[in-house]
Amino acid sequence: MAHKWVYAFEEGNADMKNLLGGKGANLAEMTRIGIPVPPGFIVTTEACIAYQKEGQFPEGMWDQVLEYLDALGQKLGRKFADDADPLLVSVRSGARVSMPGMMDTILNLGLTPAGVQTMGEKFGDMRFAWDLYRRLVQMYSKVVLDVPGELFEEVIDDVRKELGVKTDAGITAEGWEKCAVEFKKLVQKHTGSPFPEDPLDQLKLGVEAVFKSWNGKRAVDYRNNFGIPHDWGTAVNVQTMVYGNFADGVSGTGVAFTRNPSTGEKKFYGEYLLNAQGEDVVSGSRTPSNVAHLADEIPPAWQDLMKVAETLEQHYREMQDIEFTIENGKLWMLQTRSGKRTAAAIVKIAVDMVDEGLITKEEAVARVKASDIDQLLHPRFDLDALAKTPVLAHGLNASPGAAVGKVYFDADTAEAKSKEGEDVILVRPLTEPDDVHGMLAAKGILTQEGGATSHAAVVARQLGKPCVAGCGDININLKQRLFTVDNVTVKEGDVISLNGAKGDVYLGEIPVVVPAFDEQTELQAILGWADDVRRLMVWANADDPEQATRARKYGAQGIGLCRTEHMFLGERTQLFQNYILAEDDAAKQAALDKMLPEQRSDFHGIFKAMDGLPVIIRLIDPPLHEFLPSREELMVDVALGKERNQDVSEQERLLHKATELAEYNPMLGLRGVRLGVMMPDVNKMQVRAIIEAACDAAKEGVDVHPEVMIPLTAHVNELKTLQKLLVDEAEAVMAEKGQRVDYKFGTMIEIPRAAITAGEVAELAEFFSYGTNDLTQMTFGISRDDAERHFLLQYVEDGILPVNPFQTIDRDGVGVLMEMGVREGRKTRPDLEVGICGEHGGDPDSIEFCHMIGLNYVSCSPFRVPIARLAAAHAVLRERGFQGVGDLGAKAPAK
Amino acid sequence: MAHKWVYAFEEGNADMKNLLGGKGANLAEMTRIGIPVPPGFIVTTEACIAYQKEGQFPEGMWDQVLEYLDALGQKLGRKFADDADPLLVSVRSGARVSMPGMMDTILNLGLTPAGVQTMGEKFGDMRFAWDLYRRLVQMYSKVVLDVPGELFEEVIDDVRKELGVKTDAGITAEGWEKCAVEFKKLVQKHTGSPFPEDPLDQLKLGVEAVFKSWNGKRAVDYRNNFGIPHDWGTAVNVQTMVYGNFADGVSGTGVAFTRNPSTGEKKFYGEYLLNAQGEDVVSGSRTPSNVAHLADEIPPAWQDLMKVAETLEQHYREMQDIEFTIENGKLWMLQTRSGKRTAAAIVKIAVDMVDEGLITKEEAVARVKASDIDQLLHPRFDLDALAKTPVLAHGLNASPGAAVGKVYFDADTAEAKSKEGEDVILVRPLTEPDDVHGMLAAKGILTQEGGATSHAAVVARQLGKPCVAGCGDININLKQRLFTVDNVTVKEGDVISLNGAKGDVYLGEIPVVVPAFDEQTELQAILGWADDVRRLMVWANADDPEQATRARKYGAQGIGLCRTEHMFLGERTQLFQNYILAEDDAAKQAALDKMLPEQRSDFHGIFKAMDGLPVIIRLIDPPLHEFLPSREELMVDVALGKERNQDVSEQERLLHKATELAEYNPMLGLRGVRLGVMMPDVNKMQVRAIIEAACDAAKEGVDVHPEVMIPLTAHVNELKTLQKLLVDEAEAVMAEKGQRVDYKFGTMIEIPRAAITAGEVAELAEFFSYGTNDLTQMTFGISRDDAERHFLLQYVEDGILPVNPFQTIDRDGVGVLMEMGVREGRKTRPDLEVGICGEHGGDPDSIEFCHMIGLNYVSCSPFRVPIARLAAAHAVLRERGFQGVGDLGAKAPAK
């Protein structure tokens, strides 16, 4: 039996996305549940894959297409390529997951000049018929024959001028006919061949063009960027045309969301154009009306639309992004899919749907992505500053958020400047798929044209970038690289600020603030449910009482890392310098005596803030020379000072010490536990400060749980040497204070050897904390600061590394050591507390890995605590078999 | 039944060393095989361990001692502490392994003043009897009561002066009696108590003193230094006295070796003193006679001695180090053990014993230590320079080798100066156990007194340090810190040269040369037998044809590492700078074009030298900034030049580039394969040079096997990216040359991640080579250059690290990764060639580990190839269960 390459809509359902593509499967599903869908059929993704392999349609495919086309005609009583009563179809791509703008569409296939007459007569509207035809020629020539789109727009412009009209609506039947004629001349001129008039040839080439577009540069780049496998292929949807561009007042086409995709409000939201075909809305070339007006303009269709929307939401249990056409008063659905939305909308809709009984709490948690939370907690403009700054221009609030940056007018420059470290705002008349790399690089996007569903708006929401779209107030001059608003001129490189939530554009930089976490009640609900699901605890890194307080507010269940050296930044650096430069024990002790109260007071504040929760305090880690001025600068100062006969004895003293302490590879030098072993007095002072503060707090009624963390252990003997001294000091302090507190000693696991010999290390360490920054540096043999500048980002861009291992844990390398460390450590000490305190502790993919290898907690920056709470829950849900959970949902199958 | 704490000699044998100590077990063994040994018994090491734990003799021990003492008396018809016919005994320590000078001895125990009379009458020699007694008092007071030894010497000096005699031989019975009286006064004065007169108390305290000395500082330091466990304990040997100090002319005592311990010659070698007890010889306080004179002086005893020596060698199958006493013409053996000897002697004796049929070739190989070969191949003085330099002084050739260094007169200063990096010669009147740390630190040792078996001589041979002993030509003045030879004064810090093989001392520095390897026929024999045993191949690291030739001469079976960047040192550095500073592709290419012929010519020479053997060439590894002047210096130059209004444009250009390339942690920066990925043109030039040279050589009839090694791989994708380019280049060159050569591509495994993901890396790499220097740096998180200066050597000294991991592979950490790399790599590619090319490749312990984890070869510096050949054989022998093989024999049980 021949392989089945083609399915009628009636033959499919929503679960067949892999075979029929997302769009096709949903068209089939809608057909199945009785929603009005123009009939059609789908050429499968398998056919596309076979085509990519063989370079031609697979055997039997075209015959099946013709069969299904015939069946379609019979059902509708028409025939394809029949000039007397032509069956017109659209050809659309549709891959497994939505790839907006990546594939192309051809409408009105099947129409010939002869057919135009018939159509015109049948519908009683020659203008409509010629409009259909010119659309066919225009789209087909652009998509299949690669004639540049602007050329067609120029022809239409000329015709409008000729006719003296401003909009397409003013173009007459003759005008559209003329367009069609001129379009064909363009094709002849541009391709050297006449426009192919045979509808079957058109269909064949059209299907092939969709297949080819799967491996077009845009599509390949997109897939690379979003980790979509290249062997999925796309299906092709062939569907009977319905005509939204027929008979003004009773026809139209629209794009809508069943809820507000920007706020999440449960209110039908969208746009439509009367007398238009679908492409007119999404291209942004005409500014459409609010879909709510349909209720007045075509009330029966509006009522049908509301019913369909309700049915679809109940059926899919998700907000739907739909396309519809009203032909002569009748509603037809052309597409439905889960709608892209802002982070705020994702959270609100998820919570609302739980309230509505549509989904479970777990499903709600699964639907919110870590990046959504990131977006919700992202800095926003300072309201006072905002109030004082006049709005320069106003457009559509296409994607929320605050963005400040320098203006650039093309994607390449925006990308280049961003790589140089600039904050960039991409400003374009409209964006197209070719602009995506510039959008990725930009902090925000501003377009002059297009609506809330334009390419710019859709992609910006997807990327979580602030976007103001359709901002007609601005006039872009691409050649002069500037835009004007009345008499204000904004040149390339000038700074503007965008408020995506309101659609406002400001001149200059507006300061940003952090949004209030506790006011986001829907987010709180999601995180509360996430807390119920997750097994991993979430702790935070905090170096002072203020950070600890914030961390706790965000839900931190402990402090996983308090960096004591951060307490010696700024004006306190001098204290540490005094210690380093001390020439005898008395001077050293004097320096330590001054440091002690400073540290104790910090610790005391942190213990109070974390009343009842554990606080891990890491003993001093960096090499001592970091507390001295740069050796290079001292050398120059001394040389110049001598040349000028100045007294440079002080600089020479510093230089002498800096030289003594200098290291070729400071990251691998005298730091961490090595400092403690070689000069235990600093660590002893620190332990004294910790335990004194803990005892003081305990006396005040605070429930303290200090855990002292020794960094950079490579060999258990380092702990054997140092820990004993420090435990003695802790016990001595408690004896002095007449107060006992619970305390633990543990170590960071950040050196490969410590992970490998974790079984021995755990003989002394009561807890482990993975320092995955250093562990990654050493496991990869990469110095992060050097590498990102010199080769690492290039490696990631070239795909030599799948991800930047400093952002996401390298499971195959670093992860193997981590897993080994947990396993061996717990063999020695079954109740060993193991966590992570590197930057990876706030990365969702890494958090999932930490969950998988059985860590007790992740510790991240206070701002990322909510993200970590969610990601930890996602890890559980994925473990339980939930599909498409969070950020990793789309990526997961790619692995 | 009570635990048995005491064994009579008749109850033991040589296999009972762990229980009876080495000395005791050998006394038992000699007794067993009928050699004349004064009867006695042994208190076991278990008793010592029990004593250390309980702080007192274990239950029943003392009763058993008394029982055995009684039995001893019954056998000899005498009684301990019986003034009428006293049984005298010696008390000696004896641990499992010989620890020279570490334990103390008491002779003549059981003698009382009343007993002296009886003894004097019985032996007809009151002088003899009083000499025995004063020795007892002297030794007992020093060892058990801690009275400083010099005080006794002062008393004897006074008595000699009083009697007007020069030597002890001149001291009369009354003189010795007076000494004994004065000694007791000293004890009263020094300890506040009278000398204990009861022989049983003396014995009890004597045994206890031996037990206590096990945990004396000297003994503990020695054990730490040689890795001997602290819980072995020492046995105590209680043995009937025989009297070498009785009746001048027919009594004496001596120390001898069954062969020459310096040259290995099969000739009885040693020293004796007439009318002396054992301590007189080994202490070096009297200069003894050559043992050969005994043949004339006491012919029957000499003949007995020769027979005993022959019996012992046949029995033990080893050269023996013996102590004997001749009492009134009768030979008594007091000790036998395997004798310490020089490296040359070890090798010669091993080969001779194979020839004599005493031992097998494998045993011979097992007996030679890697450090022996090191010593044999160590630099010696240049003969021409030696001939031209007058000998300053001449002493005993106590331990061979050439040493040059600055003179220091005490162990502490010698050690301190050595730590500062100076080459040091320790000069002492005599050495004692307290001096060992100075001897360890010194390049050579010179003593004014003592013979070939003095402490200095024995320890120096053991340590493999050149030593001139008993050099009476020099006069040391410790206070002024100088020595004089006639009118020449050598002050502290002056440089001298020692020729240990001849016993010559020279003023100033004599240049040293490398000894000829191919002339050492016995060594060649050992290495040839080692080659038959070993499984590991031995390759060498060589960067030029000359080194390759030397490596091959030493037995290298391939080149495991040719460092191509070493070809750009010196005057060729400019070539590389030109490349780095090139501002466009043309300039880069021009620079590469100049490098190509230089590299090709080097490779060509190496291929010729290694005809028929594999040559691994590593592509350029270090970061580019290493080829530029130091950035710091450039900064100073530019600043000063500007201050002086000079033109600094050239320096600024260099500074700009140096700044661009600067890295915080260059070891983890842009180097190795990363350079290749980011700027493949250098690697392509290198591969071209390699393959061009290989093709040229092949055309000349050379059998070439080039293997191109890519350094610093962290991720298989780096190889995927670079290797393809390079293979293409290699193929292109062969096509141009019309010549095919066998080649391989492989990688260094020197980054932890590469070892962890070895299974993936082996998909591309056809061979692995462990770069254990970098692998150790990254696995430990230690920058070697920084660490050894700042903390690593201190770590080793304090025992935080058992060994310096840059000298000996850290099996528990780095080794785990190595084992993982081999295992995973061979899963992917079963015939994967795996080697090691770090410095560890020449370290015996590391070589054994490489053998154990199944490496194909070790590659080391040419000079260490012979050592590696031997060590590889030792690994096999240990695997086969041979005991005490090579250097690791003594260490092994400590693990």
Side-chain angles (χ1 to χ4, degrees), chain A residues 434-753:
Chain A
D434 290 343
D435 295 320
V436 170
H437 63 292
M439 298 173 77
L440 279 165
K443 295 283 170 193
I445 297 117
L446 170 62
T447 66
Q448 186 174 339
E449 298 158 26
T453 52
S454 64
H455 178 267
V458 170
V459 175
R461 282 200 289 272
Q462 189 178 352
L463 297 178
K465 307 256 182 190
C467 174
V468 175
C471 182
D473 293 352
I474 67 171
N475 271 293
I476 300 178
N477 186 324
L478 288 181
K479 281 198 182 148
Q480 293 181 35
R481 312 194 78 72
L482 53 81
F483 72 78
T484 56
V485 183
D486 303 327
N487 56 349
V488 177
T489 301
V490 178
K491 290 198 290 278
E492 188 168 70
D494 288 352
V495 172
I496 64 171
S497 299
L498 298 184
N499 183 349
K502 292 203 145 197
D504 292 335
V505 182
Y506 300 85
L507 196 59
E509 177 181 348
I510 299 176
V512 291
V513 292
V514 178
F517 175 68
D518 32 12
E519 291 164 15
Q520 307 193 36
T521 49
E522 279 116 356
L523 178 56
Q524 300 280 7
I526 292 284
L527 291 175
W529 299 334
D531 292 345
D532 294 339
V533 170
R534 69 189 161 93
R535 197 212 69 221
L536 261 183
M537 283 189 288
V538 177
W539 296 12
N541 303 346
D543 303 333
D544 57 42
E546 191 190 333
Q547 288 174 10
T549 305
R550 185 184 304 129
R552 187 158 202 173
K553 195 179 78 183
Y554 282 6
Q557 298 161 283
I559 298 300
L561 176 63
C562 168
R563 282 160 290 211
T564 52
E565 63 270 13
H566 279 208
M567 298 175 177
F568 289 106
L569 297 180
E571 56 195 25
R572 289 191 194 166
T573 303
Q574 187 62 46
L575 291 180
F576 215 90
Q577 270 191 23
N578 290 346
Y579 172 81
I580 296 169
L581 294 170
E583 275 161 18
D584 55 37
D585 288 349
K588 277 187 184 172
Q589 194 54 51
L592 292 171
D593 289 347
K594 283 201 177 153
M595 287 187 252
L596 177 69
E598 301 280 351
Q599 295 240 302
R600 185 176 52 216
S601 130
D602 285 336
F603 298 141
H604 185 256
I606 293 173
F607 290 141
K608 276 173 69 176
M610 300 306 289
D611 190 358
L613 298 178
V615 175
I616 295 185
I617 296 166
R618 183 177 71 185
L619 302 179
I620 192 161
D621 183 47
L624 297 184
H625 49 77
E626 284 197 9
F627 296 91
L628 296 179
S630 130
R631 183 166 162 260
E632 292 168 341
E633 283 165 22
L634 287 169
M635 283 175 77
V636 171
D637 288 352
V638 167
L640 282 181
K642 282 189 174 168
E643 178 79 9
R644 294 168 188 160
N645 287 316
Q646 294 162 341
D647 174 20
V648 292
S649 56
E650 180 56 24
Q651 289 97 315
E652 282 191 304
R653 185 164 155 258
L654 283 165
L655 177 57
H656 179 77
K657 184 53 85 172
T659 302
E660 184 188 316
L661 295 174
E663 295 177 313
Y664 297 109
N665 298 290
M667 209 191 74
L668 308 177
L670 181 55
R671 44 175 287 236
V673 65
R674 300 163 190 172
L675 277 178
V677 170
M678 297 303 287
M679 43 193 92
D681 51 357
V682 179
N683 280 178
K684 275 166 79 175
M685 178 277 289
Q686 294 194 300
V687 167
R688 171 165 285 274
I690 292 166
I691 303 298
E692 283 185 357
C695 289
D696 292 348
K699 286 181 182 174
E700 294 158 20
V702 179
D703 181 15
V704 289
H705 299 280
E707 304 191 7
V708 180
M709 180 153 72
I710 296 174
L712 215 74
T713 300
H715 197 291
V716 63
N717 286 353
E718 292 174 301
L719 294 186
K720 282 188 183 154
T721 303
L722 184 62
Q723 190 167 316
K724 165 101 180 61
L725 282 178
L726 300 182
V727 168
D728 288 350
E729 185 74 11
E731 291 292 331
V733 172
M734 288 187 294
E736 286 167 27
K737 290 271 180 185
Q739 171 76 42
R740 281 210 70 81
V741 292
D742 255 359
Y743 67 88
K744 279 187 187 174
F745 272 82
T747 184
M748 292 197 68
I749 303 289
E750 52 190 333
I751 287 184
R753 195 181 189 285

Side-chain angles (χ1 to χ4, degrees), chain A residues 631-632 643-644 662 664-665 667-668 674 717-718 751 753 779-781 783 786 789-790 795 800 810, chain B residues 631-632 643-644 662 664-665 667-668 674 717-718 751 753 779-781 783 786 789 795 800 810:
Chain A
R631 183 166 162 260
E632 292 168 341
E643 178 79 9
R644 294 168 188 160
Y664 297 109
N665 298 290
M667 209 191 74
L668 308 177
R674 300 163 190 172
N717 286 353
E718 292 174 301
I751 287 184
R753 195 181 189 285
T779 305
F780 264 93
S783 166
D786 298 322
R789 195 159 43 101
H790 284 142
Y795 265 37
I800 293 175
D810 158 50
Chain B
R631 183 163 162 261
E632 291 167 340
E643 179 78 10
R644 294 166 186 161
Y664 297 109
N665 298 289
M667 208 192 74
L668 308 179
R674 299 162 190 172
N717 287 353
E718 292 174 301
I751 287 184
R753 195 181 189 284
T779 305
F780 263 94
S783 166
D786 299 321
R789 194 159 44 101
Y795 265 37
I800 294 174
D810 158 50

Side-chain angles (χ1 to χ4, degrees), chain A residues 271-553:
Chain A
E271 295 163 326
Y272 75 101
L273 283 168
L274 289 180
N275 189 19
Q277 282 198 318
E279 294 304 293
D280 299 332
V281 183
V282 290
S283 77
S285 60
R286 279 166 63 191
T287 302
S289 312
N290 186 323
V291 75
H293 297 160
L294 262 184
D296 302 324
E297 293 201 295
I298 319 178
W302 169 255
Q303 282 155 22
D304 288 348
L305 187 57
M306 289 304 95
K307 270 183 222 149
V308 165
E310 176 72 14
T311 306
L312 288 175
E313 269 211 353
Q314 290 290 333
H315 184 70
Y316 284 101
R317 303 161 65 246
E318 249 298 24
M319 176 191 95
Q320 294 297 297
D321 168 359
I322 57 175
E323 285 179 36
F324 61 92
T325 284
I326 301 164
E327 182 190 286
N328 222 348
K330 167 153 178 60
L331 176 73
W332 292 99
M333 298 304 295
L334 299 183
Q335 165 147 337
T336 192
R337 59 182 173 184
S338 291
K340 303 263 186 282
R341 67 208 91 166
T342 63
I346 286 172
V347 169
K348 179 165 172 42
I349 292 170
V351 173
D352 285 352
M353 285 191 170
V354 170
D355 290 346
E356 293 160 25
L358 271 182
I359 60 175
T360 64
K361 288 173 182 172
E362 284 81 2
E363 282 172 312
V365 169
R367 285 183 183 185
V368 178
K369 301 188 295 298
S371 57
D372 298 331
I373 298 189
D374 198 21
Q375 212 173 310
L376 289 177
L377 299 178
H378 243 298
R380 296 176 188 172
F381 287 124
D382 175 64
L383 289 180
D384 291 344
L386 206 62
K388 285 179 199 149
T389 314
V391 173
L392 176 69
H394 183 74
L396 276 170
N397 53 344
S399 179
V404 179
K406 291 184 179 174
V407 163
Y408 290 99
F409 291 97
D410 66 283
D412 290 343
T413 311
E415 187 186 47
K417 291 293 176 181
S418 164
K419 277 192 181 165
E420 289 172 16
E422 286 190 7
D423 286 347
V424 161
I425 305 285
L426 178 66
V427 182
R428 292 288 297 164
L430 272 175
T431 63
E432 296 187 338
D434 290 343
D435 295 320
V436 170
H437 63 292
M439 298 173 77
L440 279 165
K443 295 283 170 193
I445 297 117
L446 170 62
T447 66
Q448 186 174 339
E449 298 158 26
T453 52
S454 64
H455 178 267
V458 170
V459 175
R461 282 200 289 272
Q462 189 178 352
L463 297 178
K465 307 256 182 190
C467 174
V468 175
C471 182
D473 293 352
I474 67 171
N475 271 293
I476 300 178
N477 186 324
L478 288 181
K479 281 198 182 148
Q480 293 181 35
R481 312 194 78 72
L482 53 81
F483 72 78
T484 56
V485 183
D486 303 327
N487 56 349
V488 177
T489 301
V490 178
K491 290 198 290 278
E492 188 168 70
D494 288 352
V495 172
I496 64 171
S497 299
L498 298 184
N499 183 349
K502 292 203 145 197
D504 292 335
V505 182
Y506 300 85
L507 196 59
E509 177 181 348
I510 299 176
V512 291
V513 292
V514 178
F517 175 68
D518 32 12
E519 291 164 15
Q520 307 193 36
T521 49
E522 279 116 356
L523 178 56
Q524 300 280 7
I526 292 284
L527 291 175
W529 299 334
D531 292 345
D532 294 339
V533 170
R534 69 189 161 93
R535 197 212 69 221
L536 261 183
M537 283 189 288
V538 177
W539 296 12
N541 303 346
D543 303 333
D544 57 42
E546 191 190 333
Q547 288 174 10
T549 305
R550 185 184 304 129
R552 187 158 202 173
K553 195 179 78 183

Side-chain angles (χ1 to χ4, degrees), chain B residues 41 172 246 285 444 492 784:
Chain B
F41 56 86
T172 57
F246 170 62
S285 62
E492 187 168 70
R784 180 176 188 176

Side-chain angles (χ1 to χ4, degrees), chain A residues 419 665 777 781-798 800-801 804 806, chain B residues 580 588 621-626 628 631 655-680 712 718:
Chain A
K419 277 192 181 165
N665 298 290
Q777 295 197 92
I782 281 177
S783 166
R784 180 175 188 175
D785 293 329
D786 298 322
E788 290 192 340
R789 195 159 43 101
H790 284 142
F791 65 90
L792 188 62
L793 298 182
Q794 191 68 43
Y795 265 37
V796 175
E797 195 163 323
D798 293 349
I800 293 175
L801 293 180
N804 181 339
F806 294 105
Chain B
I580 295 169
K588 278 188 183 170
D621 183 48
L624 297 185
H625 49 76
E626 285 197 7
L628 296 179
R631 183 163 162 261
L655 177 57
H656 179 78
K657 182 54 82 171
T659 302
E660 185 188 317
L661 296 174
E663 296 177 313
Y664 297 109
N665 298 289
M667 208 192 74
L668 308 179
L670 181 56
R671 46 175 286 237
V673 65
R674 299 162 190 172
L675 276 178
V677 170
M678 297 304 285
M679 42 192 95
L712 214 74
E718 292 174 301

